[in-house]
Amino acid sequence: MRKFNFNDVPHGYHLCFNERCPKHEDCIRFLAGQHLPATEMSGPAVYPNALTDGICPYFKQTRVIHGAWGFRNLYKGVEPKDLKTLRPKVINYLGGPVAHYAYTHGERLLTPEQQDTIYGFFKELGYTKELIFEGYTMVYDFGE
């Protein structure tokens, strides 16, 4: 398992400290709360009363993912006529040009599910060769 680093926790991420929750040992919010530096005094948190009948709507399964970024390698070999439809489709899927830029430059990482969806866009157009993003890294998944 990858070593947890509190610096990887996104700013404003809701932390949890509820040991009564039956799923706390599997929750990334609880894991983040356990690694809270002593210098942090306040911030967003999941309150104990969020747990109702053993269920917390803020539960987020702890998982380490193979995150990816960068699209230049993906677009290599794509014909210009296909690129005119493919690139805007990817940009739209990711939430627009600003988000696409962030994913291109490694400021955000694509989850395996996002990678699969993007691969699907290429395959719809007949591009079935091995598709590779520019970079990959193993990270904790803090996605909502």
Side-chain angles (χ1 to χ4, degrees):
M1 179 72 74
R2 179 179 163 86
K3 187 175 190 291
F4 192 91
N5 182 345
F6 189 81
N7 291 330
D8 294 337
V9 177
H11 178 72
Y13 198 73
H14 286 75
L15 309 180
C16 180
F17 306 93
N18 190 356
E19 293 178 356
R20 289 188 3 228
C21 177
K23 293 185 172 182
H24 76 273
E25 290 183 10
D26 297 322
C27 184
I28 189 75
R29 296 180 191 285
F30 188 83
L31 180 63
Q34 295 302 294
H35 287 85
L36 182 70
T39 55
E40 296 288 328
M41 302 294 175
S42 66
V46 176
Y47 299 151
N49 60 351
L51 183 65
T52 306
D53 297 326
I55 299 171
C56 177
Y58 296 96
F59 172 76
K60 170 80 172 134
Q61 179 73 45
T62 301
R63 72 178 189 153
V64 176
I65 62 167
H66 195 218
W69 75 89
F71 298 97
R72 286 184 296 225
N73 293 335
L74 288 180
Y75 294 132
K76 283 182 184 174
V78 174
E79 295 182 29
K81 68 176 180 62
D82 291 333
L83 198 55
K84 286 182 183 179
T85 57
L86 183 59
R87 193 167 191 276
K89 192 170 189 176
V90 171
I91 290 171
N92 185 55
Y93 170 70
L94 295 175
V98 174
H100 184 268
Y101 179 91
Y103 286 110
T104 297
H105 293 90
E107 295 168 10
R108 288 189 188 171
L109 295 176
L110 296 160
T111 66
E113 296 81 8
Q114 289 172 311
Q115 294 169 47
D116 288 344
T117 298
I118 292 169
Y119 291 152
F121 296 157
F122 281 80
K123 289 177 181 167
E124 286 172 3
L125 294 172
Y127 295 95
T128 57
K129 68 173 179 115
E130 185 177 354
L131 300 170
I132 300 172
F133 289 94
E134 288 174 46
Y136 296 89
T137 189
M138 298 300 286
V139 294
Y140 279 92
D141 179 16
F142 292 99
E144 294 298 323

